[in-house]
């Protein structure tokens, strides 16, 4: 691994050296110049190239450039969105050049095409490649948090390298049975994006309303994310090299009481547990043991009375990560190309040891991404593109999972040493494990994933048949290979007894000599798409139309039929005079999971836009510089209905374990759920109204309101039909959910001399409510799910006095079915007054577990080569049950935090937590209002400071740009869980899951 | 050129219009036809019908499930969620009343019976055997519901619901269910073989079907069901199929039990015998019989949940194993109510004059089975002297409650951190029960005759227990009480008392279940000062049991779902 990286670094240095000598060879005096628009505002990032030479430069923020070009040479000035302009060098004088904005409006990526701003009728939002690169994370999903309105990115697992994929929702959760995650397409083929390198991404588009997703039909109801990778362009080659090095450090780790306090509180807990003993009996039983005397842990005899910080012992405070990206991009009119290689290496936080030399005992994720794209104009009418992407992902972890290791750190008491005095691994009857053993002495696993994804496209102009007509095709080829291997080992722990002897728990073994292979997978997906497009203007009338056919099949390892999709879809857009647009889109697609004859559905959408600012009464208005109203209404579907197995319309028998006869198990076979021949997709009628507003040419604002009615959500009916059928009943499509909300996004750019700044923000609200779900009549009113949000949580309500005062209080209250109750235990409200606390007393508590509000705010500025950017993100209306030992205290022999200990019943006058116990207590730790917490947060998500060296300094080296930057991720969070030192987004991170990390990263980017 | 376009368009439409692309050959899963037209597959399907037979060591609860015994006065559950604790608070809604589970097993049997004529059996004998097993199992599952709820809807092989069928069936009467079970059992007895090859152990036999028939008759004859009609009992109105006279019900029950006792194989040998090895301490045989199977020379077991040997971590051992140093969950803890039922060695109960019972030294000179059933203060267990006093270091506080653990069913040689395994099967029927069934039924028919007393003494003698004192069992009523106590001890923790107490209720002895399962439950608090140990009986919980609980509640969920269902009285 290291050697490959070193080799690459050496190659890069060599390459740099060659390039610089190459440019030194050209001996032309530098030309200075400035590029402005017709209002005199400087324009940055204009590519200045010498035609027929390899020389290329670009303008800085002030529009200035420097380039070497001899007299008579022709310079080409180009920038996307501007009309390219040529300039012939006559002498050495300052070039003051104006370039004009292309009257063509900005274009947006939409489903299988592009639309100009005025003809866009759909609700979409975009994230630029530039924004993605500001978050130094390896998993791309984590880099898009807060950047798009209507998109919820929710991290639910810790930041274990390579395993930290977040959950995504567009406009919230809209189904209680079916899948809720959006459809993701990379280059128009259904693929995962999260392990792509940000470097290879050109644009990232979130499709939200019916008009945006209409062409995805029964697969679009949860929204769609379109990822488009980079392609070449016409111009001199640009080589870009980025090297970054960062450190990850845990954000919040629980802070447990040290040994002295731990023993003190442990004794209180024991006293509560042994409340039937007299003081004398208790003292002679427990306090006579010197290990139960707090003052012994004052540090004077750490060998016998340790104070172990388990986190510090096994987690590094920082772990390095590095990444290198090299890309080459350019092309001619005939062919354009883009080549990229990216390397990421991310170490985990575990402290590695010298156990088993030659074996890395820590955790590590490394990834190699490559992409090679070529687009060739084979003839005037035929354009062919080949886009080949691939990656290798290697994950190396100890054989003991992160959850187990971190849980051990959070559970083991400070009074236990890591190693005994004889250097054996410490343990005890209760704690018969040790993180040292888990990390270094259980062996390791390697998971190796390889992906190869090819997309071939062809575009054939058919002007000779009909002007504006073209045919297009796509062939996608995705191969995935996974293999896993491991070596394992066992370890024993030893308890040091007071008399100096040792008790052994478990067994030792040395690590396996050979690897055992325990997993492999292979899949191959083929995608075909054929289509016709028509795009033509007739005076003020613009017409665009598409029709496409697609099919895909994915074969997988094992005894399973391949997964298939098929459909036809299209769209027609008519625009008049850039003022009125009407669009009709449809999809007619099918799913293999519905029975023949009824597996295809038709999903039409109609939408329109009116650009008021192009009307005479608003034209040239200085205040309202842009105003557009748009609306859409359509039917979309979700074929991923959540059945959990394929072909639910078939009647099926499965093979099972049978019964044990004689001396062996007999094969068994059993009937599956009664078939559901009429099962169908979820259907959603979505409407959206949008306003796009531009003020004073400086402020852009998009507002969208939506109302989605998802129906035909499947329910199993087990809760409404008698059980005597003795078999799972067929699914029926009878549930419905209504989702409503709005999104506002704002963008403001301004330049004041050398200083320019950007403010971008978005706010989204998505609320949902179950409007029907089959439920029997006669239940207690609080037990119904209908009327509540899909992700609503239920639990017991704690009475206002929270805890039982004494035995009389217990005797006079409803009895718990969750275990024996003592004074100081939680007092729950008996909702149905049946004298028993049980699951019928659960009421809706708090907010849903997926947030209803999402915020993002970006502030950016630059001044003379310096640039600064900060992204704030936040969520609101989300609650979670705190279910880990940070709040649950000592029960089940856990550790305890001073916060909980000091505020527990019997210790504090005004207790917030139940009485301390060392035993497993199921009564106190039921989901209840005591443990549900508001987990809203507002966070500094990323911050970046960059500095670009002045152009003059670079000219001789023929480097067009060098930029140094330092950025950070997950920097600071404002939330209510600070006092527990828990993450608000992932409260179990660092307790029962891998910790959450903050990343500080430095890097340099060179462009030639 | 235009033609090309049309061809292209035609191609697109052509491809789309047929959905053959999404049509697949039947998936890898089997269809009903494939299962029943192939003998191997049909055999696999039939084997799965047995999976509804569950071991009852861990019958109820979401976490550390405990036996039903802990809802009776035999023991207390010291762990677990939603388990027997809910029963002990008087809540009969839900736990151990999984209607879906029984009907799921019944549906499997019905599916087999519906398709049985299609199966290509290798020979007629095989067909009979399989049919016999399926009829037996269907009867077994129906009886599980009948004893819990009373009459429930009878679904046969003609009631396999398909979508659109009306699932709202009313409950059928107790008598109809009883009759249905008897019909199935008579078929099973007719079809099933008396003995099995070793590779078939675990399958139903003629004896199993006969034993179930004896128990179903005994239950029907018992006061709870013979005194009621309709959904809840067999008594009352005319029926030609069975005699109306209550006495004759008992006679039939006695005959059925006797038939099992007397059952012989092809060679004329008795099929079942009490497990006796001639050990010096005869009670050792009582302890060991639960870990031995027919292939180990134990001919007492008639039908059981056949399983592979298990070790220390198996829940059926671990949940019962004493906690603390012994490493188990110690979740099943005998109550003092139960311990007091053990007679003295001399055959007198502890409260009878001359019994010699010493409250300061309560564990000496008891019924020899006591020492094989109970782990008590000061006894030897797995090489240690058990200490459950308040100052013990053997157990953390809170993990022992009553002052007892269970020894019966807990194999002493299976210790923590060892890989020793043993047979540990849940026994549904064993011969000792047939003797006691016979004694109970015959006592009702003719009073305490010699043959009644002999049946009980046969069971007692196996464990080295003294014969019943004749003077104390001279009339039907006092004999009945001794038989009840005999069942309590001999069949303890076998989920017999839970049903026995109920079926005896509403009889001459009154509401026995309410008396035994409700009210104060006692533990023994043990204090040790130096070498002296004192025992104090104290109440640890007052249980709620109403006479309505003699039948389970139809789960509220089912009542909501089916308006035709009638709830059992008192709920």
């Amino acid at each position: 691994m290291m050697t490959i990286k070193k080799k690459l670094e050496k190659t890069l240095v060599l390459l740099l050296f060659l390039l610089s000598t190459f440019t030194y060879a050209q001996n032309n005096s530098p030309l200075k110049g400035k590029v402005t628009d017709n209002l005199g505002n400087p324009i940055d990032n204009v590519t200045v190239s010498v035609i027929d030479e390899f020389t290329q430069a670009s303008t800085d923020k002030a529009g200035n450039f420097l380039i070497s070009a001899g007299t008579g040479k022709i310079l080409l000035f180009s920038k996307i969105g501007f009309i390219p302009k040529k300039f012939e060098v006559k002498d050495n004088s300052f070039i003051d050049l104006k370039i004009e904005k292309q009257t063509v409006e900005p274009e947006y990526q939409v489903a299988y095409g592009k639309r100009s701003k005025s003809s866009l009728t759909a609700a979409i939002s975009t994230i630029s490649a530039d924004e993605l690169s500001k978050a130094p994370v390896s998993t791309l999903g984590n880099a898009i948090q807060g950047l798009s309105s209507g998109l919820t990115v929710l991290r639910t697992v810790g930041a274990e390298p390579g395993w930290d994929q977040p959950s995504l929702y567009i406009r919230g959760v809209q189904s209680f049975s079916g899948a809720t995650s959006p459809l993701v397409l990379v280059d128009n083929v259904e693929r995962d994006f999260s392990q792509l390198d940000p470097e290879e991404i050109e644009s990232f588009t979130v499709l939200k309303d019916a008009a945006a997703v209409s062409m995805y039909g029964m697969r679009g109801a949860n929204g769609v994310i379109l990822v488009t990778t980079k392609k070449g362009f016409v111009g001199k080659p640009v080589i870009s090299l980025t090297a970054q090095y960062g450190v990850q450090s845990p954000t919040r780790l629980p802070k447990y009481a040290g040994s002295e306090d731990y023993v003190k509180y442990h004794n209180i807990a024991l006293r509560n547990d042994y409340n039937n003993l007299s003081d004398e009996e208790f003292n002679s039983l427990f306090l006579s043991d010197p290990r139960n005397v707090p003052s012994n842990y004052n540090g004077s005899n750490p060998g016998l009375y340790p104070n172990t910080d388990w986190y510090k012992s096994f987690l590094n405070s920082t772990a390095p990560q590095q990444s290198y990206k090299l890309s080459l991009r350019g092309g001619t009119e005939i062919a354009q190309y883009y080549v990229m290689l990216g390397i990421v290496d991310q170490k985990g936080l575990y402290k590695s040891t010298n156990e088993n030399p030659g074996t890395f005992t820590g955790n590590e994720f490394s990834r190699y991404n490559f992409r090679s794209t070529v687009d060739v104009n084979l003839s005037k009418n035929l354009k062919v593109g080949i886009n080949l992407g691939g990656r290798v992902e290697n994950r190396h972890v100890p054989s003991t999972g992160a959850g187990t290791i971190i849980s051990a750190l959070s559970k083991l008491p400070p009074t236990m040493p890591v190693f005994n005095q004889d250097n054996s691994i410490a343990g005890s009857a209760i704690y018969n494990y040790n993180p040292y053993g888990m990390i270094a002495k259980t062996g390791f696993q390697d998971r190796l994933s390889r992906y190869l994804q090819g997309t071939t496209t062809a575009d054939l102009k058919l002007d000779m048949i009909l002007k504006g007509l073209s045919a297009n095709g796509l062939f996608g080829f995705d191969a995935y290979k996974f293999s896993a291997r491991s070596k394992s080992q066992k370890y024993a722990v030893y308890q040091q007894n007071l008399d100096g002897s040792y008790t052994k728990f478990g067994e030792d073994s040395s690590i396996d000599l050979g690897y055992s292979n325990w997993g492999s997978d292979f899949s191959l997906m083929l995608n075909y798409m054929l289509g016709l497009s028509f795009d033509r203007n007739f005076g003020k009338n613009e017409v665009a139309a598409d029709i496409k056919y697609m099919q895909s099949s994915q074969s997988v390892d094992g005894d399973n039929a391949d997964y298939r999709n098929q459909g036809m879809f299209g769209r027609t857009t008519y625009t008049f005079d850039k003022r009125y647009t009407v669009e009709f889109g449809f999809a007619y697609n099918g799913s293999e999971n519905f029975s023949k004859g009824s597996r295809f559905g038709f999903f039409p959408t109609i939408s329109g836009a009116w650009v008021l600012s192009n009307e005479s009464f608003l034209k040239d208005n200085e205040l309202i510089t842009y105003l557009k109203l748009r609306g859409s209404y359509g039917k979309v579907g979700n074929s991923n209905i959540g059945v959990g197995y394929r072909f639910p319309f078939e009647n099926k028998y499965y093979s099972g374990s049978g019964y044990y006869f004689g001396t062996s198990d007999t094969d068994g076979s059993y009937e599956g759920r009664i078939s559901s021949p009429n099962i169908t997709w979820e259907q959603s009628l979505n409407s959206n109204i949008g306003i796009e507003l531009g003020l004073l040419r400086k402020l852009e604002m998009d507002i969208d309101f939506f109302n989605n009615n998802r129906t035909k959500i499947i329910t199993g009916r087990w809760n409404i039909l008698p059980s005597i059928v003795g078999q799972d009943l067929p699914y029926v499509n009878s549930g419905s959910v209504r989702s409503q909300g709005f999104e506002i996004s704002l963008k403001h750019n301004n330049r004041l001399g050398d200083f320019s700044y950007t403010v971008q923000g978005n706010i989204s609200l998505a609320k949902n409510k179950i409007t029907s779900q089959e439920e029997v009549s006669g239940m207690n009113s609080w037990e119904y799910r209908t009327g509540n949000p899909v992700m609503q949580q239920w639990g017991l309500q704690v009475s206002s006095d929270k805890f039982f005062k004494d035995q009389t209080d217990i005797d006079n209250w409803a009895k718990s079915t969750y275990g024996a109750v003592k004074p100081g235990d939680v007092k729950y409200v008996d909702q149905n007054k049946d004298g028993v606390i049980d699951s019928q007393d659960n009421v809706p508590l708090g907010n849903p577990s997926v947030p209803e509000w999402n915020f993002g705010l970006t502030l950016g500025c630059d001044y003379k080569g310096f640039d600064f950017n900060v992204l704030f993100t936040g969520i609101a209306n989300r609650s979670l049950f705190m279910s880990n030992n940070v709040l649950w205290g000592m029960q089940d022999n856990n550790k305890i935090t001073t916060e909980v200990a000091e505020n527990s019943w019997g210790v504090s006058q005004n207790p917030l937590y139940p009485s301390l116990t060392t035993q497993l207590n199921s009564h106190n730790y039921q989901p209840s209002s005591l443990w549900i917490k508001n987990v809203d947060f507002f966070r500094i998500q990323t911050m970046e400071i960059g500095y670009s060296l002045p152009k003059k300094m670079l000219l001789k080296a023929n480097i067009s740009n060098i930029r140094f930057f330092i950025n950070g991720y997950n920097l600071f969070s404002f939330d209510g869980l600070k006092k527990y030192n828990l993450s608000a987004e992932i409260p179990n991170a660092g307790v029962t899951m891998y910790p959450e990390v903050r990343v500080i990263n430095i890097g340099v980017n060179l462009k030639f | 050129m235009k033609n090309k376009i049309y061809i292209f368009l035609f191609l697109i439409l052509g491809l789309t219009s047929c959905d053959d692309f999404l049509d697949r050959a039947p998936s890898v899963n089997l269809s009903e036809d494939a299962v029943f037209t192939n003998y191997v597959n049909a055999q696999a399907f039939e084997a799965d019908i047995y999976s509804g037979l569950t071991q009852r060591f861990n019958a109820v609860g979401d976490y550390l499930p405990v036996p039903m015994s802990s809802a009776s006065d035999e023991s207390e559950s010291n762990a677990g969620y939603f388990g027997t604790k809910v029963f002990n608070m008087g809540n009969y809604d839900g736990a151990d009343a999984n209607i879906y589970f029984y009907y799921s097993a019944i549906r499997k049997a019905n599916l087999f019976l519906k398709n049985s004529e299609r199966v290509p059996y290798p020979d007629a004998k095989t067909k009979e055997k399989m049919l016999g097993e399926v009829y037996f199992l269907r009867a077994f599952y129906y009886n599980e519901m009948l004893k819990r709820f009373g009459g429930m809807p009878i679904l046969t092989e003609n009631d396999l619901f398909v979508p659109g069928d009306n699932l709202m069936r009313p409950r059928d009467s107790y008598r109809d269910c009883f009759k249905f079970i008897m019909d199935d059992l008579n078929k099973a007895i007719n079809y099933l073989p008396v003995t099995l090859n070793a590779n078939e152990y675990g399958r139903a036999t003629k004896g199993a079907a006969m034993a179930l028939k004896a128990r179903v008759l005994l239950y029907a004859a018992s006061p709870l069901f013979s005194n009621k009609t309709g959904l809840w009992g067999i008594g009352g109105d005319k029926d030609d199929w069975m005699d109306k006279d209550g006495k004759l019900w008992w006679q039939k029950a006695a005959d059925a039990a006797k038939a099992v006792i007397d059952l012989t194989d092809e060679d004329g040998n008795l099929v079942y015998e009490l497990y006796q090895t001639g050990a010096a301490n005869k009670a050792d045989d009582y302890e060991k019989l639960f870990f031995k199977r027919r292939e180990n020379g134990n001919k007492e077991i008639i039908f059981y949940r056949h399983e592979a040997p298990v070790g220390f971590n198996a829940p059926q051992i671990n949940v019962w194993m004493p906690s603390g140093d012994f490493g188990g969950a110690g979740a099943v803890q005998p109550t003092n109510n139960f311990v007091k039922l053990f007679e003295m060695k001399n055959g007198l109960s502890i409260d009878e004059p001359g019994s010699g019972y010493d409250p300061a030294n309560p564990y000496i000179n008891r019924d020899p089975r006591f020492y094989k059933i109970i782990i008590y203060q000061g006894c030897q267990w797995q090489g240690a002297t058990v200490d459950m006093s308040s100052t013990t270091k053997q157990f953390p506080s809170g993990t022992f409650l009553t002052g007892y653990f269970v020894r019966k069913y807990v194999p002493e040689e299976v210790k923590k951190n060892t890989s020793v395994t043993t047979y540990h099967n849940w026994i549904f029927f064993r011969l000792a029960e047939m003797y006691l069934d016979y004694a109970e039924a015959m006592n009702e028919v003719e009073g305490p005759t010699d043959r009644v007393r002999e049946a009980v003494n046969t069971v007692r003698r196996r464990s080295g227990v003294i014969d019943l004192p004749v003077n104390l069992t001279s009339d039907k009523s006092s004999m009945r009480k001794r038989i009840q106590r005999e069942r309590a001890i001999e069949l303890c923790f076998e989920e017999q008392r839970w049903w026995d107490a109920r079926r005896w209720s509403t009889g001459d002895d009154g509401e026995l279940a309410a008396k035994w399962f409700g009210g104060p439950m006692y533990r023994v608090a043990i204090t040790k000062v130096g070498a002296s140990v004192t025992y104090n009986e104290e109440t640890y919980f007052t249980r709620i049991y109403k006479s309505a609980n003699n039948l389970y509640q139809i789960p509220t969920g089912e009542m909501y779902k089916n308006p035709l269902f009638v709830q059992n009285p008192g709920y």
Side-chain angles (χ1 to χ4, degrees), chain B residues 445-464:
Chain B
V445 174
E446 60 185 29
T449 55
D450 283 351
R451 55 182 177 180
V452 170
R453 191 166 286 118
E454 186 60 20
V456 180
N457 286 336
T458 306
V459 173
R460 286 166 71 94
R461 281 178 213 139
R462 182 266 302 281
S463 304

Side-chain angles (χ1 to χ4, degrees), chain A residues 612-651:
Chain A
L612 281 84
S613 52
N614 285 348
E615 296 285 354
S616 53
F617 55 85
L618 266 179
K619 205 138 197 162
D620 304 321
N621 187 309
E622 283 302 311
L623 175 66
I624 300 170
T625 44
Y626 190 81
L627 179 62
K628 181 172 111 184
L629 295 179
R630 56 181 161 71
S632 69
Y633 182 72
K635 182 164 110 175
V636 288
N638 180 15
S639 58
N640 196 351
I641 53 176
V643 166
Y645 60 95
R646 304 177 69 189
F647 315 125
F649 54 88
E650 284 180 350
N651 143 303

Side-chain angles (χ1 to χ4, degrees), chain A residues 626-924:
Chain A
Y626 190 81
L627 179 62
K628 181 172 111 184
L629 295 179
R630 56 181 161 71
S632 69
Y633 182 72
K635 182 164 110 175
V636 288
N638 180 15
S639 58
N640 196 351
I641 53 176
V643 166
Y645 60 95
R646 304 177 69 189
F647 315 125
F649 54 88
E650 284 180 350
N651 143 303
K652 280 200 259 296
Y653 281 64
Y654 298 93
S655 47
S657 55
Y659 192 79
Y660 188 86
F661 291 120
T663 52
S664 60
D665 279 318
T666 314
D667 286 341
S669 152
Y670 61 96
E671 184 196 26
R673 176 186 291 273
I674 299 174
S675 64
S676 316
N678 300 321
I679 196 167
T680 188
W681 50 87
E682 290 178 6
Q683 175 180 307
S684 192
L685 289 175
N686 293 0
S687 45
N688 190 85
I689 290 176
I691 303 163
E692 294 170 17
L693 186 66
L695 294 174
L696 301 163
R697 298 186 199 286
K698 304 270 188 216
L699 182 71
E700 286 173 35
M701 183 153 96
D702 282 11
I703 306 172
D704 276 286
F705 298 92
F706 70 90
N707 177 27
N708 295 350
N709 276 319
R710 181 81 60 98
T711 55
K712 298 190 179 175
I713 298 171
I714 56 158
T715 62
R717 317 196 91 194
W718 44 82
N719 54 347
I720 67 152
L721 289 175
S723 302
I724 58 165
V725 67
Q727 184 49 274
D728 294 336
L729 293 159
Y731 289 109
V732 292
N733 298 86
S734 61
S736 61
V737 171
R738 165 182 277 202
S739 309
Q740 287 174 311
F742 66 85
E743 290 123 27
I744 301 175
S745 60
L746 266 171
K747 191 174 179 181
H748 171 56
N749 290 317
N750 203 6
R751 168 171 291 282
L752 307 159
D754 281 340
F755 180 77
S756 69
Y757 67 91
T758 315
V759 179
Q760 272 188 61
N762 63 72
I763 298 180
S764 321
L765 171 71
K767 286 175 100 77
N768 65 71
K769 193 167 89 172
I770 297 172
T771 44
S772 90
Q773 175 176 22
E774 298 201 6
E775 291 181 290
V776 290
S777 55
M779 288 195 297
N780 299 311
S781 59
W782 57 86
E783 291 183 88
Y784 287 92
R785 300 199 63 207
T786 308
N788 282 294
V790 173
M791 303 306 279
Q792 180 63 51
Q793 300 164 95
W794 266 257
L796 295 164
Q797 181 69 47
V798 174
S799 82
S800 56
D801 49 352
K802 288 197 182 82
F803 309 105
F804 289 111
K805 317 197 270 292
D806 48 32
Q807 192 57 43
T808 327
D809 196 7
I810 296 171
D811 293 342
N812 294 331
W813 197 256
K815 302 287 166 282
S816 168
T817 59
Y818 300 106
V821 175
K822 285 180 179 175
D825 283 344
V826 183
K827 194 172 176 182
Y828 300 117
V829 177
D830 180 20
Q831 302 286 354
N832 58 353
K833 305 206 165 42
D834 63 351
V836 175
I837 303 293
D838 59 12
S839 60
Q840 287 188 5
D841 297 312
N842 284 333
V843 292
L845 293 176
N847 287 311
S849 57
V850 170
E852 293 180 330
W853 288 97
N854 285 276
F855 313 96
L857 176 66
T858 309
L859 303 177
C861 64
D862 52 71
Y863 178 70
K864 290 197 171 167
F866 286 97
D867 58 87
F868 172 79
N869 185 288
V870 59
L871 167 67
F872 301 92
T873 59
I875 59 158
N877 282 20
R878 180 186 189 216
S879 303
L880 289 177
F881 287 112
M882 300 293 120
S883 54
N884 61 52
N885 69 16
V886 170
L887 274 85
W888 286 7
M890 215 154 231
Q891 72 113 20
D892 196 20
N893 294 307
N894 286 319
K895 266 189 287 214
I896 195 158
T897 60
T898 12
E899 157 70 23
V900 170
E902 284 170 357
N903 289 301
S904 62
W905 190 89
V907 177
S908 159
Q909 290 301 309
N910 194 9
L912 302 171
Y913 310 99
S915 75
L916 298 177
T917 174
T918 63
Q919 286 158 13
L920 187 70
N921 183 321
S922 54
H923 169 85
N924 286 344

Side-chain angles (χ1 to χ4, degrees), chain B residues 89-176:
Chain B
M89 291 174 202
N91 185 346
Y92 276 70
D93 190 4
D96 194 44
N98 192 339
I99 289 175
Y100 178 90
F101 179 82
Y102 299 114
Y103 275 109
S104 153
I106 288 164
R107 181 180 172 89
K108 289 174 187 177
N110 283 336
L111 271 168
F112 185 89
L113 293 173
K114 184 189 116 190
N115 290 289
S116 65
E117 291 305 317
R118 297 209 273 163
V119 178
Y121 304 96
D123 51 57
K125 222 176 146 190
T126 308
K127 178 180 176 182
E128 280 198 350
K129 210 159 106 177
M130 281 175 88
L131 281 174
E133 289 177 23
V134 175
Y135 281 121
F136 165 78
L137 290 168
R138 187 166 74 172
F140 185 96
Y141 298 132
Y142 269 114
N143 185 49
E144 288 301 304
M145 286 194 293
L146 188 65
K147 67 187 185 187
R148 283 172 170 78
F149 305 108
M152 290 295 279
I154 297 169
L155 305 180
T156 69
E157 56 270 34
N158 301 317
D159 300 302
L160 294 162
F161 296 104
V162 295
D165 281 3
N166 181 15
L167 303 179
M168 306 298 174
R169 291 288 192 91
R171 295 174 65 182
D172 284 305
S173 72
Y174 184 100
R175 185 182 280 252
D176 287 345

